[in-house]
Amino acid sequence: MSNEQFNLPIHRKVLTILKEAILFVNENGGILDGNEAAFTLLKINDSHPLSIVDILDLNLLKDHNDTHFIMEQKNNHNKLIEVKSILIDGNVYCLIMSELSLQDRTDEVKKYINQLIHSSAEGVVMYDDEKIIDCDMTFANMFDYSQQEIKDITISQLIEDPNNSTVDKEIHQHPENSCQLVGRRKDGSKIFIEVMEHPSNNQGNIVQVALIRDVTERVENERRIEFMAYYDELTDLPNRNFFNKVLQEAIEEAKTSNEWLAVYFIDVDYFKEINDTLGYAFGDELLKACGERLKSFLQIDTFIARMSGDEFLILQRHTNDEDDAVNLAENLISEFEKPIKIDDYEVFTSISIGISIYPKNGGTPNDLIKHADSAMYVIKEKHRNNYNLFESSISENFKTMLTMERELRKALKEGQFEVHYQPQKSLHSKEIVGFEALLRWSHPVKGYIPPDDFIPLAEKTGLIIDIGDWVLKEACRQNKAWQDKGYQPIIVSVNLSAKQFHQKNLVEKVEQILESTGLEPCYLELEITESMAMTNEESILKTMNRLRKFGVLVSIDDFGTGYSSLKYLSIFPITKLKIDKMFMDENQKQNQAIVKSIIHMSHSLNMKVIAEGVETIEQLTFLENEKCDEMQGFYYSKPLPPEQLTELFQTV
């Protein structure tokens, strides 16, 4: 020991029995005192220089007082020492030491680091600069090496950063923070790792101990979430979110360069029919095939995305003029006229395209997409397999439609609808035998709105279900009210839309309405159009049979305008055919011939026949001569509100 006088801060007997290796040194490294555990650990004896400088990095310990360090012993490179330096005097340091073995201390190190990052650790590695000194089995397995193999390579060989700049900056300079890096396995494949050192300092001769955690699954999940946020999983095309982002950037660029952009809203024609016929799995394959076909149009100036369902979007930058925009649309339509082969099927489909142009048709992604959608909607309603450029009138029509839809909902809620009734008269007894219930909308500002103006919109929006339910219930309630007043019981006929008739619970709904109003089923007649009856015949027949079994009458409206088969007329449980008013024009001889045929056919099938739209005495006389059963029309009475029908009842 040094000859320097030194007073121990603790009793020598206590120092001797302590298991920890304790050494006292001065600021120059001279060993002042210590216990046997310290001398044995550092292999200090009388022949050894009495200076700690030859054994440990004293400068590092002095510079970082009261800090734990893991150091390699200079006189024994295979030994690691954990040292804590405490300044106890102006120039005296107390070194508390212990030998560090990776195998013995792995759990302790992991526990310490886990307290910092609040998560489970996976592997530990010790290294000096680039050289790997030791590691545990978990770390070696993480990179698909054996423990022996991994000691023969450097840290930089395991990190996907040839300059190791990230390691130096993120790990060494900020040891309190975990750092995510890309690792490289033995076979060259990538692995995402999270690294944290304990302790860490790149000054002096210090050994780093790093905790390595495999976060590949987490990173891949994050990337998966990012993919789902910006891409469509089915077609691998960008989704609407990504399209909006790219379109916004393109708009900013076009604004600066004063250029045009074109946005195409594409809808696959007949997709619903194909999906319903061949199934959803087949429909998915068709959408994938459509996506691949659209990808063939990818150019440096085009961006393609899937909107939703069977709808796609295309952005074309640097559009010169409308002809340029139309040219791409025509090429797209031409490409989709070719059959698409899926499994053993050759599917022939087509597309409808709406086009909007920046800045002419809008200055935001939302406006351009909305207007392209509007243009597509118009062309799809009229001519499929075609394109349509957006015009301001389209927007106005849509605004009108949206306004009317909003007012329709309000009308239903506030009770603005009325039911008027048109009498149906027997041509044999001359008595009223029924009423047809007809919907009327009494708008508080606009007055009565013609049914042709709002019924089609109600059909498209699905409001016809709620409105139709109200009409059916009101007609049954009113008919029962007339009977309760003592008037002769008659039949009320109510028109059903296609959406209403195809409801799965239609029969149950009719039963519930009849029960709640108290009207007997035989006084209710439901009218469906000829075209409705001839589609999905099996389902229609099943519903008709259930209604007839319950006692409700069923008739065919607008007969003669469709393509009825005598076979179906013979098997459907129909009680009456209604001749469409278009055939009541006596100026056309062929119309009279058609009416004669319908009357005779109906009678041969034991069905009654009624003619609507009768407006003249000549029409009435013709029908009487041909033995038509019933009539309705302005010649006898227009549709009237309930209170104006009392007089007709009293004259019966």
Short mmCIF file of all heavy atoms in Angstrom, two decimals, residues 2-3 28 59 126 168 178 202 221 236 296 326 397 431 465 531 576 586 645:
data_model
loop_
_atom_site.label_atom_id
_atom_site.label_comp_id
_atom_site.label_asym_id
_atom_site.label_seq_id
_atom_site.Cartn_x
_atom_site.Cartn_y
_atom_site.Cartn_z
N SER A 2 0.26 2.38 -0.28
CA SER A 2 0.98 3.65 -0.30
C SER A 2 1.37 4.04 1.12
O SER A 2 0.69 3.70 2.08
CB SER A 2 0.10 4.73 -0.94
OG SER A 2 0.69 5.99 -0.76
N ASN A 3 2.48 4.74 1.22
CA ASN A 3 2.93 5.21 2.54
C ASN A 3 2.14 6.42 3.02
O ASN A 3 2.35 6.92 4.11
CB ASN A 3 4.42 5.55 2.49
CG ASN A 3 5.26 4.29 2.24
OD1 ASN A 3 4.93 3.22 2.74
ND2 ASN A 3 6.37 4.45 1.50
N ASN A 28 -4.46 10.12 -7.58
CA ASN A 28 -3.45 9.69 -8.56
C ASN A 28 -3.49 8.19 -8.82
O ASN A 28 -2.71 7.68 -9.62
CB ASN A 28 -2.05 10.09 -8.08
CG ASN A 28 -1.91 11.60 -7.94
OD1 ASN A 28 -2.37 12.34 -8.81
ND2 ASN A 28 -1.29 12.03 -6.84
N ASN A 59 -9.48 7.60 -14.50
CA ASN A 59 -10.01 8.88 -14.97
C ASN A 59 -11.53 8.79 -15.21
O ASN A 59 -12.27 9.73 -14.91
CB ASN A 59 -9.31 9.31 -16.26
CG ASN A 59 -7.87 9.72 -16.00
OD1 ASN A 59 -7.56 10.22 -14.91
ND2 ASN A 59 -7.00 9.51 -16.97
N MET A 126 -22.74 -8.39 -24.53
CA MET A 126 -21.66 -7.53 -24.04
C MET A 126 -20.68 -7.33 -25.17
O MET A 126 -20.30 -8.29 -25.85
CB MET A 126 -20.95 -8.18 -22.85
CG MET A 126 -21.76 -8.20 -21.58
SD MET A 126 -20.79 -8.83 -20.21
CE MET A 126 -21.93 -8.60 -18.87
N ASP A 168 -24.17 4.75 -32.78
CA ASP A 168 -23.36 5.70 -32.03
C ASP A 168 -24.21 6.85 -31.49
O ASP A 168 -24.13 7.22 -30.33
CB ASP A 168 -22.25 6.26 -32.92
CG ASP A 168 -21.40 7.29 -32.19
OD1 ASP A 168 -20.70 6.90 -31.24
OD2 ASP A 168 -21.48 8.48 -32.56
N SER A 178 -34.48 3.79 -25.42
CA SER A 178 -34.37 2.63 -26.28
C SER A 178 -34.32 3.09 -27.73
O SER A 178 -34.86 4.13 -28.08
CB SER A 178 -35.55 1.68 -26.07
OG SER A 178 -36.75 2.33 -26.39
N ASN A 202 -19.22 6.12 -24.27
CA ASN A 202 -18.20 5.81 -25.27
C ASN A 202 -16.88 6.53 -24.99
O ASN A 202 -16.12 6.80 -25.89
CB ASN A 202 -18.71 6.16 -26.68
CG ASN A 202 -19.01 7.64 -26.84
OD1 ASN A 202 -18.94 8.38 -25.88
ND2 ASN A 202 -19.33 8.06 -28.06
N ASN A 221 -46.85 -5.54 -37.57
CA ASN A 221 -48.25 -5.18 -37.28
C ASN A 221 -48.50 -3.70 -37.53
O ASN A 221 -49.55 -3.32 -38.06
CB ASN A 221 -48.59 -5.53 -35.83
CG ASN A 221 -48.76 -7.01 -35.61
OD1 ASN A 221 -49.03 -7.76 -36.56
ND2 ASN A 221 -48.61 -7.46 -34.38
N ASP A 236 -55.17 -4.68 -53.49
CA ASP A 236 -53.82 -4.11 -53.32
C ASP A 236 -53.68 -2.74 -53.97
O ASP A 236 -52.57 -2.27 -54.19
CB ASP A 236 -52.74 -5.06 -53.87
CG ASP A 236 -52.49 -6.24 -52.96
OD1 ASP A 236 -52.79 -6.11 -51.76
OD2 ASP A 236 -52.01 -7.27 -53.44
N SER A 296 -53.15 -1.71 -65.48
CA SER A 296 -52.47 -1.62 -66.78
C SER A 296 -52.47 -0.19 -67.31
O SER A 296 -51.75 0.13 -68.25
CB SER A 296 -53.14 -2.56 -67.79
OG SER A 296 -54.46 -2.13 -68.09
N VAL A 326 -61.36 12.74 -71.98
CA VAL A 326 -62.28 11.81 -72.63
C VAL A 326 -61.52 10.65 -73.26
O VAL A 326 -61.99 9.50 -73.25
CB VAL A 326 -63.12 12.55 -73.69
CG1 VAL A 326 -63.81 11.57 -74.63
CG2 VAL A 326 -64.13 13.46 -73.01
N ASN A 397 -79.30 19.46 -60.03
CA ASN A 397 -80.29 18.38 -59.94
C ASN A 397 -80.10 17.58 -58.66
O ASN A 397 -81.07 17.17 -58.02
CB ASN A 397 -80.19 17.47 -61.17
CG ASN A 397 -80.67 18.17 -62.43
OD1 ASN A 397 -81.40 19.15 -62.36
ND2 ASN A 397 -80.24 17.67 -63.58
N GLU A 431 -122.55 -0.44 -59.29
CA GLU A 431 -122.27 -0.04 -57.92
C GLU A 431 -120.75 0.14 -57.71
O GLU A 431 -119.94 -0.42 -58.44
CB GLU A 431 -122.78 -1.10 -56.94
CG GLU A 431 -124.29 -1.27 -56.95
CD GLU A 431 -124.73 -2.35 -55.98
OE1 GLU A 431 -123.85 -3.12 -55.52
OE2 GLU A 431 -125.93 -2.42 -55.68
N ILE A 465 -90.38 2.21 -48.31
CA ILE A 465 -90.78 1.18 -47.34
C ILE A 465 -91.61 1.80 -46.23
O ILE A 465 -92.72 1.36 -45.93
CB ILE A 465 -89.54 0.47 -46.74
CG1 ILE A 465 -88.73 -0.25 -47.84
CG2 ILE A 465 -89.95 -0.50 -45.65
CD1 ILE A 465 -89.43 -1.43 -48.44
N SER A 531 -94.38 -6.26 -64.36
CA SER A 531 -92.93 -6.53 -64.43
C SER A 531 -92.42 -7.11 -63.12
O SER A 531 -91.54 -7.96 -63.11
CB SER A 531 -92.17 -5.24 -64.76
OG SER A 531 -92.46 -4.22 -63.81
N LYS A 576 -107.40 -10.46 -60.02
CA LYS A 576 -107.85 -9.43 -60.95
C LYS A 576 -106.67 -8.91 -61.77
O LYS A 576 -105.55 -8.82 -61.28
CB LYS A 576 -108.48 -8.27 -60.17
CG LYS A 576 -109.17 -7.22 -61.02
CD LYS A 576 -109.60 -6.01 -60.17
CE LYS A 576 -110.62 -6.39 -59.13
NZ LYS A 576 -111.05 -5.20 -58.34
N GLU A 586 -109.03 5.16 -77.73
CA GLU A 586 -109.85 4.49 -78.75
C GLU A 586 -109.46 4.89 -80.17
O GLU A 586 -109.97 4.34 -81.14
CB GLU A 586 -111.34 4.79 -78.52
CG GLU A 586 -111.76 6.22 -78.78
CD GLU A 586 -111.57 7.13 -77.57
OE1 GLU A 586 -110.94 6.68 -76.58
OE2 GLU A 586 -112.07 8.26 -77.60
N LEU A 645 -115.99 11.50 -50.05
CA LEU A 645 -116.54 10.26 -50.60
C LEU A 645 -117.85 9.85 -49.92
O LEU A 645 -118.51 8.91 -50.36
CB LEU A 645 -115.52 9.12 -50.46
CG LEU A 645 -114.26 9.28 -51.33
CD1 LEU A 645 -113.21 8.26 -50.92
CD2 LEU A 645 -114.61 9.10 -52.80
#
